[in-house]
Amino acid sequence: MRTTPEQLRRQLAMMLVWAALFWITATVIVVELHGTVQSVRQDTAPAYLDVIKAHAALSDADRAAWLSFRSGEAEFTGPGVAFQDDITNASQEFQRLAALSGGPQLQTASGQLVNYQALVEQADAAYRADTVLETTTSKHELGYAYLTYSSQSMRGPGGLLSSIGDLGAVDRRAVAGPLASVWAAPGLMLVFELAGFLVLRSILLNQRYLKRKFRRRHSPPLMLAVTLVCGLMAWGALVILPAEGSFHAAGGTALPKLVGVWQNQISVVDAQAAKLRAQPSGGLSGGLSVTATQPAGGALDADLAAAANTGGLPVGIPALAVMIAALTWLGIKPRLDEYRE
C-alpha cells in the first residue's frame, strides 16, 4: 500500500502527464489543421484554378482569332488584341503552374501552346499576303486553312485543351486529398475536448483526494488550473470549429461555385467559336468576363482566409499548458512539504 507522499507524487505525475498530453494533442491538431488549410490555400487550389483559367483563356483565344478573321479586322490587327491578351494570360497561368507543380504534362501543354501560336501566325501571314496582293477572287482560303489547323491542334483529340484537361484532373485530385484529410474531419474537435476532459478529471480527482485526506476544502492553484483548462478548451472550440466550418465551405461550396462560373464561361466561348468556324456570324463580340468570377473568387478567398486563422492558439496552447502544469505542482507541493517537515 502506498504512503501518502507516494500517493501525492503519483497523482502529481499523472496530472503532469495529462497536461503534457493535452498540450501535445492540442498543438498537433491546430498545427496540422492549419497546415492542411495552407496547402489548399497556397498550392493545390491555386494550381487547380490556374488550369481552369488557362483553359478559359485559350478557348477565348480561339474565338477571338476567328472573330478577327471573319470580321476582316485581321487585315489591320491580325488575330486581334483580345487574342494576344488571352495568349498572355494563358502563358502566365502556365508559369504559375510551373512554380506550383510542373511535371511532364505541363511541358507537353506548353509545347502545344507554342505550336498553336505558330499556326495562328501562319494564318495571319497568309491572310495579309492575300490582302497585299489584292486578289479580289481570293477568299483567304490558305489563311482560313491554317486557322482551322490551329483550332484542331487546340480542340482535337490529344490537343492542347485535352492536355490541359489532364492537368486539371491531376490538380482536382490534389485538392480532394486535403479536403478529405483526417486533420480536417469534423470529429477532430472531439479529440481536442477529450484531451481537455482527461486533464480536468485528473485535477478534480486530486482536489477530491486532498479534501478527503487533508480536510482542505479547496486548493486555489488547482481551481485556477481547472479554470485555465476550461478556458483553453473553450478557446479551442471558438477557433477550431469555425475554421473547420470555413474550410468545408471553401471546398464544398465556394470552390465548386467558382469552377462552375469559369466552366459556364468556357461553354459560352466554345459555342461562339464553333459558330464562327462554321460561318461568319454577327454580334458575337462576347468573350470572357473576369468580373463575373470575382464574387465567387472573393467568397473562396474569404473562406480559406477564415479557415487559416489560428486565433493565437499556437502561442496560447503551450503558454497555458505550462501554467496548468505549474499550478498542479503548486497545488500538491504544500501537502508534500507537510510530510517533509
Side-chain angles (χ1 to χ4, degrees):
M1 185 175 180
R2 292 188 181 91
T3 64
T4 299
E6 290 174 340
Q7 183 69 17
L8 288 171
R9 292 189 189 94
R10 179 177 180 275
Q11 291 177 342
L12 175 60
M14 290 302 299
M15 286 191 293
L16 293 176
V17 167
W18 287 122
L21 288 176
F22 184 36
W23 177 356
I24 294 170
T25 302
T27 299
V28 169
I29 289 173
V30 171
V31 169
E32 291 296 335
L33 174 60
H34 182 68
T36 300
V37 173
Q38 289 295 83
S39 174
V40 172
R41 187 184 185 191
Q42 297 178 356
D43 298 321
T44 54
Y48 180 38
L49 292 172
D50 283 341
V51 171
I52 295 173
K53 292 175 186 177
H55 187 155
L58 291 171
S59 289
D60 192 61
D62 185 48
R63 177 205 63 82
W66 277 98
L67 179 61
S68 181
F69 274 65
R70 291 299 193 189
S71 66
E73 292 179 5
E75 180 179 345
F76 308 101
T77 62
V81 175
F83 172 85
Q84 298 297 340
D85 289 344
D86 286 330
I87 293 298
T88 299
N89 291 336
S91 299
Q92 289 174 347
E93 301 299 343
F94 279 4
Q95 290 172 6
R96 282 192 284 268
L97 275 170
L100 291 170
S101 55
Q105 290 175 313
L106 180 58
Q107 293 177 356
T108 298
S110 298
Q112 290 172 319
L113 175 57
V114 172
N115 179 62
Y116 169 74
Q117 288 180 266
L119 289 170
V120 174
E121 289 171 0
Q122 287 180 295
D124 179 35
Y127 191 100
R128 289 175 183 271
D130 281 349
T131 302
V132 170
L133 293 174
E134 296 181 349
T135 54
T136 57
T137 58
S138 172
K139 295 183 180 180
H140 303 290
E141 287 91 349
L142 184 58
Y144 280 117
Y146 277 122
L147 196 58
T148 299
Y149 296 151
S150 72
S151 293
Q152 291 173 347
S153 74
M154 176 186 287
R155 300 180 181 278
L160 176 55
L161 294 184
S162 176
S163 297
I164 292 177
D166 293 339
L167 279 171
V170 172
D171 288 314
R172 184 168 59 250
R173 289 194 296 270
V175 173
L179 291 175
S181 171
V182 66
W183 301 112
L188 198 64
M189 187 61 205
L190 295 177
V191 179
F192 181 93
E193 297 297 326
L194 176 60
F197 279 121
L198 290 174
V199 180
L200 280 177
R201 178 178 178 275
S202 177
I203 296 174
L204 291 174
L205 285 176
N206 278 279
Q207 174 62 48
R208 180 181 176 185
Y209 175 80
L210 294 177
K211 181 179 179 181
R212 185 180 71 250
K213 186 73 176 177
F214 296 92
R215 302 293 188 267
R216 299 297 198 278
R217 189 168 185 179
H218 295 297
S219 170
L222 292 184
M223 290 300 96
L224 183 54
V226 167
T227 302
L228 291 181
V229 173
C230 292
L232 184 53
M233 292 169 66
W235 188 2
L238 291 173
V239 172
I240 295 175
L241 289 178
E244 288 180 345
S246 296
F247 189 54
H248 292 131
T253 302
L255 181 60
K257 184 176 181 179
L258 178 56
V259 171
V261 173
W262 277 111
Q263 289 177 338
N264 287 338
Q265 292 209 55
I266 290 171
S267 298
V268 171
V269 166
D270 286 345
Q272 292 175 349
K275 289 182 180 180
L276 288 165
R277 288 196 302 271
Q279 60 185 6
S281 301
L284 284 178
S285 57
L288 299 176
S289 172
V290 176
T291 57
T293 66
Q294 289 176 348
L300 176 61
D301 291 340
D303 282 339
L304 288 176
N309 179 26
T310 58
L313 280 176
V315 175
I317 289 172
L320 290 181
V322 169
M323 292 175 65
I324 290 166
L327 288 169
T328 57
W329 180 77
L330 289 174
I332 297 295
K333 183 178 181 297
R335 309 290 80 81
L336 286 171
D337 290 344
E338 289 178 10
Y339 280 89
R340 291 193 183 96
E341 293 172 359

PDB file of all heavy atoms in Angstrom, residues 72-105:
ATOM      1  N   GLY A  72     -12.888  40.703 -90.707  1.00  0.00           N
ATOM      2  CA  GLY A  72     -11.979  41.457 -91.559  1.00  0.00           C
ATOM      3  C   GLY A  72     -10.975  42.282 -90.790  1.00  0.00           C
ATOM      4  O   GLY A  72     -10.100  42.923 -91.394  1.00  0.00           O
ATOM      5  N   GLU A  73     -11.069  42.290 -89.450  1.00  0.00           N
ATOM      6  CA  GLU A  73     -10.124  43.067 -88.649  1.00  0.00           C
ATOM      7  C   GLU A  73      -8.705  42.512 -88.758  1.00  0.00           C
ATOM      8  O   GLU A  73      -7.734  43.225 -88.489  1.00  0.00           O
ATOM      9  CB  GLU A  73     -10.557  43.080 -87.191  1.00  0.00           C
ATOM     10  CG  GLU A  73     -11.832  43.861 -86.935  1.00  0.00           C
ATOM     11  CD  GLU A  73     -12.237  43.835 -85.478  1.00  0.00           C
ATOM     12  OE1 GLU A  73     -11.453  43.276 -84.667  1.00  0.00           O
ATOM     13  OE2 GLU A  73     -13.317  44.351 -85.149  1.00  0.00           O
ATOM     14  N   ALA A  74      -8.578  41.242 -89.154  1.00  0.00           N
ATOM     15  CA  ALA A  74      -7.256  40.634 -89.266  1.00  0.00           C
ATOM     16  C   ALA A  74      -6.384  41.375 -90.277  1.00  0.00           C
ATOM     17  O   ALA A  74      -5.151  41.335 -90.189  1.00  0.00           O
ATOM     18  CB  ALA A  74      -7.392  39.166 -89.671  1.00  0.00           C
ATOM     19  N   GLU A  75      -7.025  42.062 -91.230  1.00  0.00           N
ATOM     20  CA  GLU A  75      -6.264  42.831 -92.220  1.00  0.00           C
ATOM     21  C   GLU A  75      -5.441  43.917 -91.543  1.00  0.00           C
ATOM     22  O   GLU A  75      -4.361  44.283 -92.029  1.00  0.00           O
ATOM     23  CB  GLU A  75      -7.240  43.459 -93.217  1.00  0.00           C
ATOM     24  CG  GLU A  75      -6.566  44.295 -94.306  1.00  0.00           C
ATOM     25  CD  GLU A  75      -7.575  44.863 -95.286  1.00  0.00           C
ATOM     26  OE1 GLU A  75      -8.731  44.389 -95.297  1.00  0.00           O
ATOM     27  OE2 GLU A  75      -7.203  45.791 -96.034  1.00  0.00           O
ATOM     28  N   PHE A  76      -5.918  44.410 -90.384  1.00  0.00           N
ATOM     29  CA  PHE A  76      -5.246  45.514 -89.696  1.00  0.00           C
ATOM     30  C   PHE A  76      -4.582  45.086 -88.380  1.00  0.00           C
ATOM     31  O   PHE A  76      -3.511  45.593 -88.034  1.00  0.00           O
ATOM     32  CB  PHE A  76      -6.251  46.625 -89.398  1.00  0.00           C
ATOM     33  CG  PHE A  76      -7.031  47.062 -90.599  1.00  0.00           C
ATOM     34  CD1 PHE A  76      -8.326  46.615 -90.794  1.00  0.00           C
ATOM     35  CD2 PHE A  76      -6.451  47.895 -91.557  1.00  0.00           C
ATOM     36  CE1 PHE A  76      -9.049  47.009 -91.917  1.00  0.00           C
ATOM     37  CE2 PHE A  76      -7.178  48.286 -92.684  1.00  0.00           C
ATOM     38  CZ  PHE A  76      -8.472  47.837 -92.865  1.00  0.00           C
ATOM     39  N   THR A  77      -5.212  44.177 -87.671  1.00  0.00           N
ATOM     40  CA  THR A  77      -4.724  43.831 -86.326  1.00  0.00           C
ATOM     41  C   THR A  77      -4.325  42.369 -86.180  1.00  0.00           C
ATOM     42  O   THR A  77      -4.008  41.932 -85.080  1.00  0.00           O
ATOM     43  CB  THR A  77      -5.804  44.142 -85.279  1.00  0.00           C
ATOM     44  OG1 THR A  77      -6.972  43.343 -85.549  1.00  0.00           O
ATOM     45  CG2 THR A  77      -6.181  45.610 -85.298  1.00  0.00           C
ATOM     46  N   GLY A  78      -4.329  41.619 -87.284  1.00  0.00           N
ATOM     47  CA  GLY A  78      -4.003  40.205 -87.159  1.00  0.00           C
ATOM     48  C   GLY A  78      -5.047  39.481 -86.321  1.00  0.00           C
ATOM     49  O   GLY A  78      -6.247  39.790 -86.422  1.00  0.00           O
ATOM     50  N   PRO A  79      -4.641  38.541 -85.482  1.00  0.00           N
ATOM     51  CA  PRO A  79      -5.615  37.821 -84.655  1.00  0.00           C
ATOM     52  C   PRO A  79      -6.348  38.716 -83.659  1.00  0.00           C
ATOM     53  O   PRO A  79      -7.362  38.318 -83.093  1.00  0.00           O
ATOM     54  CB  PRO A  79      -4.762  36.779 -83.917  1.00  0.00           C
ATOM     55  CG  PRO A  79      -3.507  36.681 -84.702  1.00  0.00           C
ATOM     56  CD  PRO A  79      -3.279  38.028 -85.301  1.00  0.00           C
ATOM     57  N   GLY A  80      -5.820  39.918 -83.425  1.00  0.00           N
ATOM     58  CA  GLY A  80      -6.521  40.867 -82.575  1.00  0.00           C
ATOM     59  C   GLY A  80      -5.918  41.013 -81.196  1.00  0.00           C
ATOM     60  O   GLY A  80      -5.151  40.165 -80.715  1.00  0.00           O
ATOM     61  N   VAL A  81      -6.276  42.115 -80.554  1.00  0.00           N
ATOM     62  CA  VAL A  81      -5.770  42.414 -79.218  1.00  0.00           C
ATOM     63  C   VAL A  81      -6.285  41.399 -78.202  1.00  0.00           C
ATOM     64  O   VAL A  81      -5.549  40.962 -77.317  1.00  0.00           O
ATOM     65  CB  VAL A  81      -6.184  43.847 -78.800  1.00  0.00           C
ATOM     66  CG1 VAL A  81      -5.763  44.129 -77.366  1.00  0.00           C
ATOM     67  CG2 VAL A  81      -5.570  44.872 -79.750  1.00  0.00           C
ATOM     68  N   ALA A  82      -7.561  41.023 -78.331  1.00  0.00           N
ATOM     69  CA  ALA A  82      -8.145  40.055 -77.390  1.00  0.00           C
ATOM     70  C   ALA A  82      -7.391  38.732 -77.460  1.00  0.00           C
ATOM     71  O   ALA A  82      -7.138  38.088 -76.420  1.00  0.00           O
ATOM     72  CB  ALA A  82      -9.623  39.842 -77.694  1.00  0.00           C
ATOM     73  N   PHE A  83      -7.024  38.322 -78.678  1.00  0.00           N
ATOM     74  CA  PHE A  83      -6.249  37.084 -78.843  1.00  0.00           C
ATOM     75  C   PHE A  83      -4.913  37.184 -78.121  1.00  0.00           C
ATOM     76  O   PHE A  83      -4.526  36.270 -77.379  1.00  0.00           O
ATOM     77  CB  PHE A  83      -6.028  36.806 -80.328  1.00  0.00           C
ATOM     78  CG  PHE A  83      -5.077  35.671 -80.601  1.00  0.00           C
ATOM     79  CD1 PHE A  83      -5.528  34.368 -80.625  1.00  0.00           C
ATOM     80  CD2 PHE A  83      -3.727  35.915 -80.824  1.00  0.00           C
ATOM     81  CE1 PHE A  83      -4.653  33.317 -80.874  1.00  0.00           C
ATOM     82  CE2 PHE A  83      -2.844  34.872 -81.065  1.00  0.00           C
ATOM     83  CZ  PHE A  83      -3.308  33.571 -81.088  1.00  0.00           C
ATOM     84  N   GLN A  84      -4.215  38.292 -78.307  1.00  0.00           N
ATOM     85  CA  GLN A  84      -2.915  38.463 -77.665  1.00  0.00           C
ATOM     86  C   GLN A  84      -3.053  38.475 -76.140  1.00  0.00           C
ATOM     87  O   GLN A  84      -2.231  37.880 -75.427  1.00  0.00           O
ATOM     88  CB  GLN A  84      -2.251  39.749 -78.146  1.00  0.00           C
ATOM     89  CG  GLN A  84      -1.949  39.780 -79.640  1.00  0.00           C
ATOM     90  CD  GLN A  84      -0.947  38.702 -80.056  1.00  0.00           C
ATOM     91  OE1 GLN A  84      -0.198  38.166 -79.233  1.00  0.00           O
ATOM     92  NE2 GLN A  84      -0.932  38.370 -81.342  1.00  0.00           N
ATOM     93  N   ASP A  85      -4.087  39.134 -75.651  1.00  0.00           N
ATOM     94  CA  ASP A  85      -4.312  39.162 -74.204  1.00  0.00           C
ATOM     95  C   ASP A  85      -4.582  37.757 -73.670  1.00  0.00           C
ATOM     96  O   ASP A  85      -4.071  37.381 -72.598  1.00  0.00           O
ATOM     97  CB  ASP A  85      -5.492  40.078 -73.869  1.00  0.00           C
ATOM     98  CG  ASP A  85      -5.164  41.549 -74.083  1.00  0.00           C
ATOM     99  OD1 ASP A  85      -3.963  41.880 -74.183  1.00  0.00           O
ATOM    100  OD2 ASP A  85      -6.114  42.358 -74.155  1.00  0.00           O
ATOM    101  N   ASP A  86      -5.372  36.989 -74.404  1.00  0.00           N
ATOM    102  CA  ASP A  86      -5.683  35.626 -73.962  1.00  0.00           C
ATOM    103  C   ASP A  86      -4.433  34.748 -73.931  1.00  0.00           C
ATOM    104  O   ASP A  86      -4.230  33.972 -72.981  1.00  0.00           O
ATOM    105  CB  ASP A  86      -6.731  34.988 -74.888  1.00  0.00           C
ATOM    106  CG  ASP A  86      -8.127  35.554 -74.665  1.00  0.00           C
ATOM    107  OD1 ASP A  86      -8.422  35.963 -73.521  1.00  0.00           O
ATOM    108  OD2 ASP A  86      -8.924  35.563 -75.616  1.00  0.00           O
ATOM    109  N   ILE A  87      -3.617  34.868 -74.958  1.00  0.00           N
ATOM    110  CA  ILE A  87      -2.384  34.077 -75.000  1.00  0.00           C
ATOM    111  C   ILE A  87      -1.453  34.485 -73.859  1.00  0.00           C
ATOM    112  O   ILE A  87      -0.827  33.624 -73.196  1.00  0.00           O
ATOM    113  CB  ILE A  87      -1.671  34.249 -76.354  1.00  0.00           C
ATOM    114  CG1 ILE A  87      -2.508  33.627 -77.474  1.00  0.00           C
ATOM    115  CG2 ILE A  87      -0.292  33.598 -76.316  1.00  0.00           C
ATOM    116  CD1 ILE A  87      -2.742  32.131 -77.339  1.00  0.00           C
ATOM    117  N   THR A  88      -1.364  35.790 -73.596  1.00  0.00           N
ATOM    118  CA  THR A  88      -0.538  36.266 -72.479  1.00  0.00           C
ATOM    119  C   THR A  88      -1.048  35.722 -71.160  1.00  0.00           C
ATOM    120  O   THR A  88      -0.270  35.252 -70.313  1.00  0.00           O
ATOM    121  CB  THR A  88      -0.533  37.801 -72.440  1.00  0.00           C
ATOM    122  OG1 THR A  88       0.030  38.295 -73.663  1.00  0.00           O
ATOM    123  CG2 THR A  88       0.285  38.308 -71.269  1.00  0.00           C
ATOM    124  N   ASN A  89      -2.364  35.763 -70.973  1.00  0.00           N
ATOM    125  CA  ASN A  89      -2.948  35.250 -69.725  1.00  0.00           C
ATOM    126  C   ASN A  89      -2.707  33.756 -69.571  1.00  0.00           C
ATOM    127  O   ASN A  89      -2.367  33.281 -68.476  1.00  0.00           O
ATOM    128  CB  ASN A  89      -4.454  35.539 -69.689  1.00  0.00           C
ATOM    129  CG  ASN A  89      -4.760  37.014 -69.536  1.00  0.00           C
ATOM    130  OD1 ASN A  89      -3.942  37.775 -69.031  1.00  0.00           O
ATOM    131  ND2 ASN A  89      -5.936  37.436 -69.984  1.00  0.00           N
ATOM    132  N   ALA A  90      -2.885  33.010 -70.656  1.00  0.00           N
ATOM    133  CA  ALA A  90      -2.653  31.565 -70.590  1.00  0.00           C
ATOM    134  C   ALA A  90      -1.189  31.270 -70.259  1.00  0.00           C
ATOM    135  O   ALA A  90      -0.889  30.372 -69.454  1.00  0.00           O
ATOM    136  CB  ALA A  90      -3.037  30.909 -71.915  1.00  0.00           C
ATOM    137  N   SER A  91      -0.264  32.017 -70.871  1.00  0.00           N
ATOM    138  CA  SER A  91       1.161  31.820 -70.597  1.00  0.00           C
ATOM    139  C   SER A  91       1.481  32.111 -69.136  1.00  0.00           C
ATOM    140  O   SER A  91       2.278  31.398 -68.502  1.00  0.00           O
ATOM    141  CB  SER A  91       2.002  32.712 -71.510  1.00  0.00           C
ATOM    142  OG  SER A  91       1.788  32.395 -72.868  1.00  0.00           O
ATOM    143  N   GLN A  92       0.851  33.141 -68.585  1.00  0.00           N
ATOM    144  CA  GLN A  92       1.074  33.466 -67.179  1.00  0.00           C
ATOM    145  C   GLN A  92       0.539  32.368 -66.264  1.00  0.00           C
ATOM    146  O   GLN A  92       1.169  32.038 -65.246  1.00  0.00           O
ATOM    147  CB  GLN A  92       0.417  34.801 -66.855  1.00  0.00           C
ATOM    148  CG  GLN A  92       1.113  35.996 -67.479  1.00  0.00           C
ATOM    149  CD  GLN A  92       0.359  37.298 -67.261  1.00  0.00           C
ATOM    150  OE1 GLN A  92      -0.805  37.306 -66.858  1.00  0.00           O
ATOM    151  NE2 GLN A  92       1.017  38.415 -67.525  1.00  0.00           N
ATOM    152  N   GLU A  93      -0.610  31.803 -66.619  1.00  0.00           N
ATOM    153  CA  GLU A  93      -1.144  30.693 -65.821  1.00  0.00           C
ATOM    154  C   GLU A  93      -0.189  29.495 -65.868  1.00  0.00           C
ATOM    155  O   GLU A  93       0.036  28.831 -64.848  1.00  0.00           O
ATOM    156  CB  GLU A  93      -2.526  30.270 -66.341  1.00  0.00           C
ATOM    157  CG  GLU A  93      -3.581  31.361 -66.340  1.00  0.00           C
ATOM    158  CD  GLU A  93      -3.886  31.918 -64.969  1.00  0.00           C
ATOM    159  OE1 GLU A  93      -3.529  31.277 -63.964  1.00  0.00           O
ATOM    160  OE2 GLU A  93      -4.477  33.006 -64.894  1.00  0.00           O
ATOM    161  N   PHE A  94       0.393  29.234 -67.031  1.00  0.00           N
ATOM    162  CA  PHE A  94       1.356  28.139 -67.152  1.00  0.00           C
ATOM    163  C   PHE A  94       2.593  28.401 -66.297  1.00  0.00           C
ATOM    164  O   PHE A  94       3.138  27.481 -65.677  1.00  0.00           O
ATOM    165  CB  PHE A  94       1.773  27.957 -68.613  1.00  0.00           C
ATOM    166  CG  PHE A  94       0.782  27.173 -69.441  1.00  0.00           C
ATOM    167  CD1 PHE A  94      -0.427  26.761 -68.911  1.00  0.00           C
ATOM    168  CD2 PHE A  94       1.056  26.847 -70.757  1.00  0.00           C
ATOM    169  CE1 PHE A  94      -1.337  26.042 -69.660  1.00  0.00           C
ATOM    170  CE2 PHE A  94       0.155  26.123 -71.534  1.00  0.00           C
ATOM    171  CZ  PHE A  94      -1.047  25.730 -70.982  1.00  0.00           C
ATOM    172  N   GLN A  95       3.026  29.648 -66.260  1.00  0.00           N
ATOM    173  CA  GLN A  95       4.191  29.987 -65.435  1.00  0.00           C
ATOM    174  C   GLN A  95       3.899  29.769 -63.953  1.00  0.00           C
ATOM    175  O   GLN A  95       4.736  29.259 -63.213  1.00  0.00           O
ATOM    176  CB  GLN A  95       4.597  31.438 -65.684  1.00  0.00           C
ATOM    177  CG  GLN A  95       5.206  31.678 -67.057  1.00  0.00           C
ATOM    178  CD  GLN A  95       5.427  33.153 -67.344  1.00  0.00           C
ATOM    179  OE1 GLN A  95       5.228  34.013 -66.485  1.00  0.00           O
ATOM    180  NE2 GLN A  95       5.831  33.467 -68.576  1.00  0.00           N
ATOM    181  N   ARG A  96       2.697  30.152 -63.522  1.00  0.00           N
ATOM    182  CA  ARG A  96       2.329  29.923 -62.125  1.00  0.00           C
ATOM    183  C   ARG A  96       2.222  28.434 -61.837  1.00  0.00           C
ATOM    184  O   ARG A  96       2.633  27.968 -60.766  1.00  0.00           O
ATOM    185  CB  ARG A  96       1.015  30.640 -61.808  1.00  0.00           C
ATOM    186  CG  ARG A  96       1.172  32.130 -61.579  1.00  0.00           C
ATOM    187  CD  ARG A  96      -0.081  32.733 -60.980  1.00  0.00           C
ATOM    188  NE  ARG A  96      -1.125  32.890 -61.981  1.00  0.00           N
ATOM    189  CZ  ARG A  96      -1.306  34.006 -62.691  1.00  0.00           C
ATOM    190  NH1 ARG A  96      -0.505  35.044 -62.518  1.00  0.00           N
ATOM    191  NH2 ARG A  96      -2.285  34.093 -63.571  1.00  0.00           N
ATOM    192  N   LEU A  97       1.687  27.690 -62.783  1.00  0.00           N
ATOM    193  CA  LEU A  97       1.598  26.238 -62.602  1.00  0.00           C
ATOM    194  C   LEU A  97       2.979  25.608 -62.487  1.00  0.00           C
ATOM    195  O   LEU A  97       3.196  24.691 -61.683  1.00  0.00           O
ATOM    196  CB  LEU A  97       0.847  25.605 -63.784  1.00  0.00           C
ATOM    197  CG  LEU A  97      -0.671  25.590 -63.707  1.00  0.00           C
ATOM    198  CD1 LEU A  97      -1.257  25.155 -65.043  1.00  0.00           C
ATOM    199  CD2 LEU A  97      -1.129  24.649 -62.604  1.00  0.00           C
ATOM    200  N   ALA A  98       3.902  26.096 -63.311  1.00  0.00           N
ATOM    201  CA  ALA A  98       5.270  25.568 -63.264  1.00  0.00           C
ATOM    202  C   ALA A  98       5.883  25.800 -61.890  1.00  0.00           C
ATOM    203  O   ALA A  98       6.625  24.951 -61.368  1.00  0.00           O
ATOM    204  CB  ALA A  98       6.122  26.201 -64.349  1.00  0.00           C
ATOM    205  N   ALA A  99       5.576  26.960 -61.288  1.00  0.00           N
ATOM    206  CA  ALA A  99       6.125  27.259 -59.961  1.00  0.00           C
ATOM    207  C   ALA A  99       5.462  26.415 -58.883  1.00  0.00           C
ATOM    208  O   ALA A  99       6.096  26.059 -57.883  1.00  0.00           O
ATOM    209  CB  ALA A  99       5.930  28.741 -59.644  1.00  0.00           C
ATOM    210  N   LEU A 100       4.186  26.053 -59.081  1.00  0.00           N
ATOM    211  CA  LEU A 100       3.456  25.297 -58.066  1.00  0.00           C
ATOM    212  C   LEU A 100       3.661  23.796 -58.188  1.00  0.00           C
ATOM    213  O   LEU A 100       3.788  23.089 -57.194  1.00  0.00           O
ATOM    214  CB  LEU A 100       1.954  25.608 -58.153  1.00  0.00           C
ATOM    215  CG  LEU A 100       1.542  27.021 -57.730  1.00  0.00           C
ATOM    216  CD1 LEU A 100       0.086  27.272 -58.089  1.00  0.00           C
ATOM    217  CD2 LEU A 100       1.755  27.217 -56.232  1.00  0.00           C
ATOM    218  N   SER A 101       3.660  23.296 -59.413  1.00  0.00           N
ATOM    219  CA  SER A 101       3.716  21.838 -59.574  1.00  0.00           C
ATOM    220  C   SER A 101       4.680  21.400 -60.668  1.00  0.00           C
ATOM    221  O   SER A 101       5.627  20.664 -60.430  1.00  0.00           O
ATOM    222  CB  SER A 101       2.302  21.290 -59.872  1.00  0.00           C
ATOM    223  OG  SER A 101       1.740  21.939 -60.989  1.00  0.00           O
ATOM    224  N   GLY A 102       4.459  21.882 -61.902  1.00  0.00           N
ATOM    225  CA  GLY A 102       5.319  21.464 -63.004  1.00  0.00           C
ATOM    226  C   GLY A 102       4.959  20.065 -63.476  1.00  0.00           C
ATOM    227  O   GLY A 102       3.823  19.618 -63.360  1.00  0.00           O
ATOM    228  N   GLY A 103       5.938  19.341 -64.028  1.00  0.00           N
ATOM    229  CA  GLY A 103       5.700  17.988 -64.480  1.00  0.00           C
ATOM    230  C   GLY A 103       5.665  17.885 -65.994  1.00  0.00           C
ATOM    231  O   GLY A 103       5.551  18.876 -66.712  1.00  0.00           O
ATOM    232  N   PRO A 104       5.762  16.646 -66.514  1.00  0.00           N
ATOM    233  CA  PRO A 104       5.800  16.433 -67.972  1.00  0.00           C
ATOM    234  C   PRO A 104       4.519  16.858 -68.672  1.00  0.00           C
ATOM    235  O   PRO A 104       4.557  17.290 -69.824  1.00  0.00           O
ATOM    236  CB  PRO A 104       6.028  14.914 -68.099  1.00  0.00           C
ATOM    237  CG  PRO A 104       5.595  14.343 -66.779  1.00  0.00           C
ATOM    238  CD  PRO A 104       5.889  15.393 -65.761  1.00  0.00           C
ATOM    239  N   GLN A 105       3.367  16.726 -68.012  1.00  0.00           N
ATOM    240  CA  GLN A 105       2.118  17.130 -68.659  1.00  0.00           C
ATOM    241  C   GLN A 105       2.098  18.624 -68.947  1.00  0.00           C
ATOM    242  O   GLN A 105       1.612  19.056 -69.989  1.00  0.00           O
ATOM    243  CB  GLN A 105       0.935  16.744 -67.772  1.00  0.00           C
ATOM    244  CG  GLN A 105       0.692  15.238 -67.695  1.00  0.00           C
ATOM    245  CD  GLN A 105      -0.411  14.880 -66.718  1.00  0.00           C
ATOM    246  OE1 GLN A 105      -0.427  15.388 -65.601  1.00  0.00           O
ATOM    247  NE2 GLN A 105      -1.319  14.020 -67.130  1.00  0.00           N
TER     248      GLN A 105
END
